[in-house]
Amino acid sequence: MNLPVKSEGRNLLDTSGIIGWGVDADPRNDPTYPIRDRANDPGLTKNWVRPPVQQPAVEILQSIEHIRQPAVVGTSTPPSGLSGMMRRLAFRWSESNWIHWLLLLGADRVNVVEGVVDDLAHARIPNIPAEMGIRSELAFNKTGFAKKVAVAGLLSALVAGVLIARRAPAAERPSSGD
Amino acid sequence: MLAMDYRGPYRVRLTEKPMPELLHPRDAIVRVTRSCICGSDLHLYHGLVPDTRVGMTFGHEFCGIVEQLGPEVENLKVGDHVLVPFNIACGQCHFCQQGLYGNCHESNAQATAVGGIYGYSHTAGGYDGGQAEYVRVPYADFGPTLIPDWMDPDDAVLLTDVVPTGYQAAEMGGIQKGDTVVIFGAGPIGLMAARCAWLFGAGRVIMFDLLDYRLEFARTYCPAEVYNFKEVDDVVVFMKKTTDGLGADVAIDCVGGDAKGNFLHTLFGTKLKLEAGSAIPLHWAINSVKKGGIVSIVGVYGPTGNMVPVGNVVNKGLTIRANQASVKRLLPRLIEHVRLGNIDPKGMITHRVPLEDVADAYHIFAAKLDGCIKPVLVPNGA
């Protein structure tokens, strides 16, 4: 693996001969101030005193932009199943790469199906209307709820109508065996 | 213990989960007394943030009582009532040393752009959040802050995110005395940004939103000059005309990826997820601020690409400032503002909901039902 190595050679530009070098480096003119507090900015270094490093008991996916595991990590929901495979694949690319995020979004959608399957596997039928807050919808948005039901009913009837219409000619065709 | 359990877009429930454990010498376990649903949680709820895994517990705004402490936490004791900043920050790294606690480098393995955040997907570290009875709090010797005796816990819980984020939004705007400030979004963060804009000396505060009830609330709470963008032909033209043709001095985006107002952005950003959410308020902010002005962004966007008019940023000479709020940096000043009555955080709480009804609370907040501005979840034992 070809990792970049900081050059220890001489500076490419010798600034010592430039008259006025650095006179405009006034932190009071820094438009990002006080977001970047230069008084407490030790410069680019990774040599801060690190906290003890957590030893996670579950799989942690790590951005390839990190050069080492952060001292503390979250252990909420380790990757698993097909979505987990997609997430592991996503972490081959950096955060600057669109495919990293699109794979993760895809994995999220797969994970939703896995969640339903997992519920059923544990003999639990997910109460999806309750999970979507149907009680509050009925309490505070009766009209909206009625509209959604009506639209859903209309669309279902349309789809059913199209399917029936497409099957009818096939049923009327004479059997090829006769 | 009982905890909120994400099952997929628009679906959450309360589930029995294992008790959190101390996993690091600087950890604490906190029994939650209050937690909020944040507008940012709705981006997760709507499936906009990548790597939001089924089974996760959301909730980055919470306060509670210390139940257990790791061996290296010496400045807290069991029984302390603390408010917990939403940033998981070590206090020691390159960024924490500069007060950039929202950008801690020692708390998020999955990404480098942002630090760890409680209950905010694996893109923000994969930590379970505070919409539960108990929560693991890493770096407990640094983040959690004792709630003063005189402070109402309802005020305290809003100091974990909403108040500092609104304050930092105004701070990043570099507001000068007499400035005209335009704020996009009259949700809790926008309300607080407007209120704080006055603290910085704004001469005029203008707010845009889609919902009349939120604008009415803003008119009295902030107080701000409010407009429904549906009733304005063109937000940018309106802003130019109401500011002598120049534009606002400062524009603040308090909406993020769930924004309404443009069909194509809604289709590509929020429905197809091909953009990092709808960037409409960002367009309006960039185009309605004056040349040489400042755009401050605290609205949450996903990490994928946006169709942002960066050409106008260049041509107008704008300064853009954006970040997650570094809560710990701002807390001393904000606690003092609450004590003096300059800020009234709990004044924006409209709904107090038992944790058991978390699914309904999410729906009420997401669908903007029952005049909801800010819901607070209260566990049964709290």
Side-chain angles (χ1 to χ4, degrees):
Chain A
M1 196 175 185
N2 295 320
L3 289 173
V5 178
K6 186 179 176 185
S7 169
E8 297 298 334
R10 66 182 180 83
N11 289 337
L12 292 175
L13 176 67
D14 179 6
T15 57
S16 61
I18 300 175
I19 297 167
W21 176 256
V23 291
D24 51 357
D26 182 353
R28 288 169 302 181
N29 293 333
D30 183 345
T32 65
Y33 202 80
I35 302 304
R36 184 177 181 195
D37 182 355
R38 287 173 187 272
N40 289 319
D41 184 351
L44 294 174
T45 171
K46 59 180 185 299
N47 296 323
W48 56 84
V49 179
R50 299 194 75 203
V53 178
Q54 182 185 339
Q55 302 302 321
V58 298
E59 181 182 3
I60 303 292
L61 298 176
Q62 184 168 311
S63 166
I64 62 171
E65 294 183 22
H66 273 301
I67 58 167
R68 60 190 177 193
Q69 181 200 304
V72 163
V73 294
T75 56
S76 166
T77 35
S80 64
L82 177 60
S83 66
M85 291 165 67
M86 293 171 71
R87 295 189 207 283
R88 289 183 197 105
L89 182 63
F91 276 84
R92 291 186 187 180
W93 286 275
S94 86
E95 297 155 61
S96 64
N97 200 315
W98 211 12
I99 197 166
H100 172 78
W101 301 111
L102 290 181
L103 273 168
L104 289 174
L105 281 167
D108 289 349
R109 301 292 95 85
V110 171
N111 200 192
V112 173
V113 179
E114 290 173 335
V116 174
V117 171
D118 186 58
D119 272 344
L120 296 174
H122 288 86
R124 176 173 187 165
I125 298 171
N127 186 349
I128 291 175
E131 290 169 357
M132 296 181 80
I134 194 169
R135 274 195 320 170
S136 52
E137 179 79 359
L138 286 169
F140 302 114
N141 192 25
K142 287 190 181 70
T143 316
F145 180 73
K147 277 183 192 166
K148 285 175 201 163
V149 170
V151 169
L154 193 64
L155 285 175
S156 304
L158 275 172
V159 172
V162 169
L163 287 175
I164 289 166
R166 287 181 59 164
R167 288 185 59 150
E172 287 164 8
R173 276 201 301 269
S175 165
S176 57
D178 287 340
Chain B
M1 66 148 188
L2 291 170
M4 175 271 196
D5 181 4
Y6 172 73
R7 305 310 301 171
Y10 300 90
R11 285 177 55 211
V12 300
R13 70 187 181 208
L14 200 71
T15 299
E16 187 70 33
K17 290 189 174 186
M19 279 287 289
E21 295 173 12
L22 299 172
L23 301 175
H24 186 267
R26 291 173 63 186
D27 280 359
I29 305 298
V30 167
R31 177 166 61 82
V32 177
T33 52
R34 300 275 192 290
S35 62
C36 297
I37 303 176
C38 178
S40 311
D41 286 327
L42 299 184
H43 304 315
L44 299 173
Y45 182 67
H46 293 155
L48 279 171
V49 180
D51 217 353
T52 304
R53 302 182 190 171
V54 167
M56 195 173 191
T57 296
F58 298 170
H60 55 273
E61 297 179 342
F62 62 93
C63 57
I65 292 167
V66 177
E67 290 276 319
Q68 288 181 57
L69 287 169
E72 288 191 15
V73 184
E74 294 177 348
N75 56 346
L76 293 177
K77 60 181 188 303
V78 171
D80 280 345
H81 199 180
V82 291
L83 66 91
V84 183
F86 75 89
N87 321 111
I88 299 173
C90 71
Q92 294 170 235
C93 71
H94 177 76
F95 304 103
C96 285
Q97 283 178 51
Q98 299 170 63
L100 293 167
Y101 304 124
N103 307 94
C104 176
H105 209 60
E106 294 284 12
S107 59
N108 183 1
Q110 278 86 347
T112 57
V114 65
I117 299 175
Y118 296 97
Y120 210 77
S121 86
H122 280 67
T123 298
Y127 297 87
D128 274 328
Q131 289 166 11
E133 291 183 308
Y134 296 88
V135 62
R136 172 198 172 206
V137 174
Y139 300 131
D141 53 346
F142 184 74
T145 301
L146 282 174
I147 299 174
D149 290 339
W150 51 266
M151 186 179 280
D152 188 324
D154 283 349
D155 280 328
V157 73
L158 296 183
L159 283 171
T160 61
D161 180 352
V162 177
V163 178
T165 299
Y167 184 90
Q168 188 168 310
E171 183 193 54
M172 291 191 298
I175 297 167
Q176 304 292 306
K177 197 167 184 185
D179 273 358
T180 295
V181 180
V182 59
I183 296 172
F184 296 100
I189 300 292
L191 294 172
M192 195 49 66
R195 187 120 172 177
C196 293
W198 296 116
L199 297 179
F200 285 90
R204 189 178 174 195
V205 178
I206 301 169
M207 292 186 87
F208 285 95
D209 198 278
L210 173 67
L211 298 162
D212 287 331
Y213 82 86
R214 298 212 302 189
L215 291 169
E216 268 312 306
F217 193 92
R219 193 196 301 276
T220 52
Y221 181 80
C222 302
E225 193 180 318
V226 299
Y227 299 98
N228 188 325
F229 64 75
K230 283 273 183 188
E231 293 165 9
V232 175
D233 281 343
D234 184 312
V235 169
V236 174
V237 173
F238 179 87
M239 277 305 302
K240 292 284 170 64
K241 288 193 172 168
T242 194
T243 52
D244 293 334
L246 300 178
D249 298 286
V250 176
I252 305 178
D253 170 5
C254 295
V255 184
D258 264 317
K260 304 288 187 294
N262 179 287
F263 170 73
L264 284 178
H265 275 294
T266 303
L267 179 66
F268 290 117
T270 61
K271 301 298 181 196
L272 298 176
K273 324 282 190 223
L274 294 174
E275 274 191 87
S278 160
I280 273 296
L282 208 42
H283 277 251
W284 286 342
I286 287 167
N287 291 323
S288 63
V289 77
K290 74 178 184 186
K291 284 175 263 195
I294 297 176
V295 174
S296 166
I297 310 167
V298 290
V300 173
Y301 293 92
T304 42
N306 281 89
M307 291 189 225
V308 173
V310 72
N312 288 1
V313 175
V314 176
N315 291 335
K316 293 177 73 171
L318 303 184
T319 298
I320 291 189
R321 291 181 180 176
N323 206 351
Q324 302 284 348
S326 287
V327 178
K328 192 72 180 179
R329 176 175 68 85
L330 299 168
L331 275 179
R333 179 178 291 269
L334 295 175
I335 288 172
E336 190 61 9
H337 274 312
V338 174
R339 191 181 69 80
L340 295 172
N342 295 331
I343 298 173
D344 170 27
K346 67 174 181 289
M348 66 170 73
I349 294 174
T350 51
H351 289 67
R352 298 171 62 82
V353 186
L355 180 62
E356 287 73 8
D357 296 334
V358 64
D360 291 305
Y362 264 91
H363 183 67
I364 288 171
F365 192 35
K368 311 290 187 290
L369 302 178
D370 196 30
C372 186
I373 300 287
K374 184 73 179 173
V376 173
L377 297 168
V378 186
N380 199 21

PDB file of all heavy atoms in Angstrom, chain B residues 329-343:
ATOM      1  N   ARG B 329     -18.831  24.758  24.701  1.00  0.00           N
ATOM      2  CA  ARG B 329     -18.219  26.092  24.625  1.00  0.00           C
ATOM      3  C   ARG B 329     -19.209  27.184  24.992  1.00  0.00           C
ATOM      4  O   ARG B 329     -18.867  28.194  25.595  1.00  0.00           O
ATOM      5  CB  ARG B 329     -17.697  26.315  23.189  1.00  0.00           C
ATOM      6  CG  ARG B 329     -17.111  27.690  22.934  1.00  0.00           C
ATOM      7  CD  ARG B 329     -16.502  27.772  21.536  1.00  0.00           C
ATOM      8  NE  ARG B 329     -17.485  27.716  20.466  1.00  0.00           N
ATOM      9  CZ  ARG B 329     -18.156  28.776  19.996  1.00  0.00           C
ATOM     10  NH1 ARG B 329     -17.945  29.966  20.524  1.00  0.00           N
ATOM     11  NH2 ARG B 329     -19.013  28.640  19.015  1.00  0.00           N
ATOM     12  N   LEU B 330     -20.483  26.953  24.637  1.00  0.00           N
ATOM     13  CA  LEU B 330     -21.474  28.019  24.787  1.00  0.00           C
ATOM     14  C   LEU B 330     -22.245  27.959  26.105  1.00  0.00           C
ATOM     15  O   LEU B 330     -22.912  28.924  26.473  1.00  0.00           O
ATOM     16  CB  LEU B 330     -22.472  27.939  23.620  1.00  0.00           C
ATOM     17  CG  LEU B 330     -21.854  28.114  22.229  1.00  0.00           C
ATOM     18  CD1 LEU B 330     -22.859  27.729  21.153  1.00  0.00           C
ATOM     19  CD2 LEU B 330     -21.393  29.539  22.031  1.00  0.00           C
ATOM     20  N   LEU B 331     -22.190  26.813  26.785  1.00  0.00           N
ATOM     21  CA  LEU B 331     -23.078  26.626  27.941  1.00  0.00           C
ATOM     22  C   LEU B 331     -22.957  27.698  29.031  1.00  0.00           C
ATOM     23  O   LEU B 331     -23.983  28.191  29.519  1.00  0.00           O
ATOM     24  CB  LEU B 331     -22.873  25.231  28.549  1.00  0.00           C
ATOM     25  CG  LEU B 331     -23.687  24.114  27.896  1.00  0.00           C
ATOM     26  CD1 LEU B 331     -23.388  22.772  28.558  1.00  0.00           C
ATOM     27  CD2 LEU B 331     -25.189  24.401  27.950  1.00  0.00           C
ATOM     28  N   PRO B 332     -21.737  28.091  29.458  1.00  0.00           N
ATOM     29  CA  PRO B 332     -21.681  29.089  30.554  1.00  0.00           C
ATOM     30  C   PRO B 332     -22.473  30.358  30.218  1.00  0.00           C
ATOM     31  O   PRO B 332     -23.250  30.858  31.032  1.00  0.00           O
ATOM     32  CB  PRO B 332     -20.181  29.367  30.693  1.00  0.00           C
ATOM     33  CG  PRO B 332     -19.513  28.143  30.151  1.00  0.00           C
ATOM     34  CD  PRO B 332     -20.401  27.650  29.041  1.00  0.00           C
ATOM     35  N   ARG B 333     -22.290  30.868  29.001  1.00  0.00           N
ATOM     36  CA  ARG B 333     -22.987  32.097  28.609  1.00  0.00           C
ATOM     37  C   ARG B 333     -24.500  31.865  28.529  1.00  0.00           C
ATOM     38  O   ARG B 333     -25.301  32.700  28.957  1.00  0.00           O
ATOM     39  CB  ARG B 333     -22.455  32.571  27.250  1.00  0.00           C
ATOM     40  CG  ARG B 333     -23.123  33.824  26.711  1.00  0.00           C
ATOM     41  CD  ARG B 333     -22.493  34.220  25.397  1.00  0.00           C
ATOM     42  NE  ARG B 333     -21.130  34.699  25.573  1.00  0.00           N
ATOM     43  CZ  ARG B 333     -20.815  35.980  25.774  1.00  0.00           C
ATOM     44  NH1 ARG B 333     -21.756  36.896  25.811  1.00  0.00           N
ATOM     45  NH2 ARG B 333     -19.571  36.342  25.933  1.00  0.00           N
ATOM     46  N   LEU B 334     -24.894  30.701  27.989  1.00  0.00           N
ATOM     47  CA  LEU B 334     -26.318  30.441  27.789  1.00  0.00           C
ATOM     48  C   LEU B 334     -27.043  30.210  29.114  1.00  0.00           C
ATOM     49  O   LEU B 334     -28.190  30.631  29.285  1.00  0.00           O
ATOM     50  CB  LEU B 334     -26.510  29.250  26.848  1.00  0.00           C
ATOM     51  CG  LEU B 334     -26.006  29.510  25.425  1.00  0.00           C
ATOM     52  CD1 LEU B 334     -26.104  28.264  24.571  1.00  0.00           C
ATOM     53  CD2 LEU B 334     -26.775  30.660  24.779  1.00  0.00           C
ATOM     54  N   ILE B 335     -26.377  29.553  30.046  1.00  0.00           N
ATOM     55  CA  ILE B 335     -26.995  29.358  31.372  1.00  0.00           C
ATOM     56  C   ILE B 335     -27.249  30.725  32.011  1.00  0.00           C
ATOM     57  O   ILE B 335     -28.290  30.963  32.622  1.00  0.00           O
ATOM     58  CB  ILE B 335     -26.087  28.459  32.255  1.00  0.00           C
ATOM     59  CG1 ILE B 335     -26.137  27.012  31.737  1.00  0.00           C
ATOM     60  CG2 ILE B 335     -26.507  28.519  33.719  1.00  0.00           C
ATOM     61  CD1 ILE B 335     -25.149  26.064  32.398  1.00  0.00           C
ATOM     62  N   GLU B 336     -26.309  31.635  31.818  1.00  0.00           N
ATOM     63  CA  GLU B 336     -26.472  32.983  32.363  1.00  0.00           C
ATOM     64  C   GLU B 336     -27.632  33.723  31.665  1.00  0.00           C
ATOM     65  O   GLU B 336     -28.416  34.402  32.325  1.00  0.00           O
ATOM     66  CB  GLU B 336     -25.158  33.756  32.198  1.00  0.00           C
ATOM     67  CG  GLU B 336     -25.108  35.089  32.931  1.00  0.00           C
ATOM     68  CD  GLU B 336     -25.265  34.984  34.439  1.00  0.00           C
ATOM     69  OE1 GLU B 336     -25.253  33.857  34.967  1.00  0.00           O
ATOM     70  OE2 GLU B 336     -25.448  36.040  35.078  1.00  0.00           O
ATOM     71  N   HIS B 337     -27.750  33.545  30.370  1.00  0.00           N
ATOM     72  CA  HIS B 337     -28.867  34.180  29.640  1.00  0.00           C
ATOM     73  C   HIS B 337     -30.209  33.629  30.132  1.00  0.00           C
ATOM     74  O   HIS B 337     -31.181  34.375  30.238  1.00  0.00           O
ATOM     75  CB  HIS B 337     -28.743  33.916  28.134  1.00  0.00           C
ATOM     76  CG  HIS B 337     -27.868  34.906  27.426  1.00  0.00           C
ATOM     77  ND1 HIS B 337     -27.990  36.269  27.608  1.00  0.00           N
ATOM     78  CD2 HIS B 337     -26.874  34.740  26.522  1.00  0.00           C
ATOM     79  CE1 HIS B 337     -27.103  36.890  26.857  1.00  0.00           C
ATOM     80  NE2 HIS B 337     -26.401  35.984  26.186  1.00  0.00           N
ATOM     81  N   VAL B 338     -30.251  32.325  30.431  1.00  0.00           N
ATOM     82  CA  VAL B 338     -31.511  31.744  30.946  1.00  0.00           C
ATOM     83  C   VAL B 338     -31.806  32.326  32.319  1.00  0.00           C
ATOM     84  O   VAL B 338     -32.938  32.699  32.635  1.00  0.00           O
ATOM     85  CB  VAL B 338     -31.417  30.199  30.998  1.00  0.00           C
ATOM     86  CG1 VAL B 338     -32.654  29.608  31.679  1.00  0.00           C
ATOM     87  CG2 VAL B 338     -31.280  29.628  29.588  1.00  0.00           C
ATOM     88  N   ARG B 339     -30.758  32.412  33.153  1.00  0.00           N
ATOM     89  CA  ARG B 339     -30.956  32.935  34.521  1.00  0.00           C
ATOM     90  C   ARG B 339     -31.487  34.368  34.481  1.00  0.00           C
ATOM     91  O   ARG B 339     -32.359  34.755  35.249  1.00  0.00           O
ATOM     92  CB  ARG B 339     -29.627  32.888  35.292  1.00  0.00           C
ATOM     93  CG  ARG B 339     -29.777  33.149  36.789  1.00  0.00           C
ATOM     94  CD  ARG B 339     -28.429  33.106  37.494  1.00  0.00           C
ATOM     95  NE  ARG B 339     -27.564  34.223  37.135  1.00  0.00           N
ATOM     96  CZ  ARG B 339     -27.659  35.454  37.648  1.00  0.00           C
ATOM     97  NH1 ARG B 339     -28.576  35.703  38.575  1.00  0.00           N
ATOM     98  NH2 ARG B 339     -26.855  36.408  37.254  1.00  0.00           N
ATOM     99  N   LEU B 340     -30.972  35.147  33.533  1.00  0.00           N
ATOM    100  CA  LEU B 340     -31.387  36.555  33.435  1.00  0.00           C
ATOM    101  C   LEU B 340     -32.721  36.718  32.707  1.00  0.00           C
ATOM    102  O   LEU B 340     -33.250  37.818  32.627  1.00  0.00           O
ATOM    103  CB  LEU B 340     -30.305  37.358  32.711  1.00  0.00           C
ATOM    104  CG  LEU B 340     -28.964  37.468  33.443  1.00  0.00           C
ATOM    105  CD1 LEU B 340     -27.909  38.102  32.545  1.00  0.00           C
ATOM    106  CD2 LEU B 340     -29.135  38.282  34.729  1.00  0.00           C
ATOM    107  N   GLY B 341     -33.220  35.638  32.134  1.00  0.00           N
ATOM    108  CA  GLY B 341     -34.496  35.721  31.430  1.00  0.00           C
ATOM    109  C   GLY B 341     -34.379  36.229  30.006  1.00  0.00           C
ATOM    110  O   GLY B 341     -35.393  36.534  29.361  1.00  0.00           O
ATOM    111  N   ASN B 342     -33.147  36.337  29.486  1.00  0.00           N
ATOM    112  CA  ASN B 342     -32.978  36.791  28.103  1.00  0.00           C
ATOM    113  C   ASN B 342     -33.436  35.725  27.108  1.00  0.00           C
ATOM    114  O   ASN B 342     -33.796  36.030  25.977  1.00  0.00           O
ATOM    115  CB  ASN B 342     -31.505  37.124  27.824  1.00  0.00           C
ATOM    116  CG  ASN B 342     -31.035  38.296  28.659  1.00  0.00           C
ATOM    117  OD1 ASN B 342     -31.828  39.172  29.016  1.00  0.00           O
ATOM    118  ND2 ASN B 342     -29.760  38.303  28.996  1.00  0.00           N
ATOM    119  N   ILE B 343     -33.316  34.485  27.539  1.00  0.00           N
ATOM    120  CA  ILE B 343     -33.760  33.356  26.710  1.00  0.00           C
ATOM    121  C   ILE B 343     -34.733  32.539  27.541  1.00  0.00           C
ATOM    122  O   ILE B 343     -34.508  32.325  28.725  1.00  0.00           O
ATOM    123  CB  ILE B 343     -32.564  32.464  26.301  1.00  0.00           C
ATOM    124  CG1 ILE B 343     -31.558  33.257  25.466  1.00  0.00           C
ATOM    125  CG2 ILE B 343     -33.028  31.257  25.518  1.00  0.00           C
ATOM    126  CD1 ILE B 343     -30.278  32.493  25.175  1.00  0.00           C
TER     127      ILE B 343
END
